[in-house]
Amino acid sequence: MMFWYDHDVSGWGWFAMSAGMVLFWALIITAVVLLIRALYTPHEHTHIPPPTAPTPTPTPEDILRERLARGEIDEEEYRRRLSTLRADPLKKT
């Protein structure tokens, strides 16, 4: 009853209404898709890396070998100290 007496919606009005409805539903569908993707995708910051093994403590022989490799001691001193390390501590000479 309201559009009697030549107060109807023209062709541009129908176009604007149709475009508005398409944009409205596109917005609703996009919001739902983004919400579902946000809820069901794993987040990167929740990943816990596996624990790493602690670095082993170097033995006295390893330290002596490194000192020889760095040039801090010569081969004669290396052999003397290595034999001292490998000697039986309870055996007194």
Side-chain angles (χ1 to χ4, degrees):
M1 272 187 138
M2 210 166 152
F3 296 113
W4 289 4
Y5 301 99
D6 201 27
H7 293 290
D8 61 345
V9 178
S10 66
W12 287 109
W14 285 107
F15 175 75
M17 226 175 8
S18 299
M21 185 60 70
V22 169
L23 289 174
F24 171 76
W25 283 110
L27 179 68
I28 295 296
I29 291 170
T30 302
V32 169
V33 168
L34 290 176
L35 181 66
I36 289 172
R37 285 179 68 188
L39 292 176
Y40 290 109
T41 55
H43 299 288
E44 294 173 4
H45 66 275
T46 59
H47 176 69
I48 300 171
T52 58
T55 57
T57 306
T59 62
E61 290 182 10
D62 292 336
I63 295 172
L64 192 59
R65 199 173 304 120
E66 288 175 10
R67 288 187 66 194
L68 176 66
R70 284 194 299 257
E72 294 177 7
I73 57 175
D74 60 353
E75 189 174 345
E76 181 183 334
E77 187 174 355
Y78 169 75
R79 290 186 190 279
R80 185 175 50 83
R81 290 182 184 221
L82 187 61
S83 65
T84 304
L85 283 175
R86 290 182 177 170
D88 187 9
L90 299 177
K91 182 180 174 185
K92 299 277 183 173
T93 55

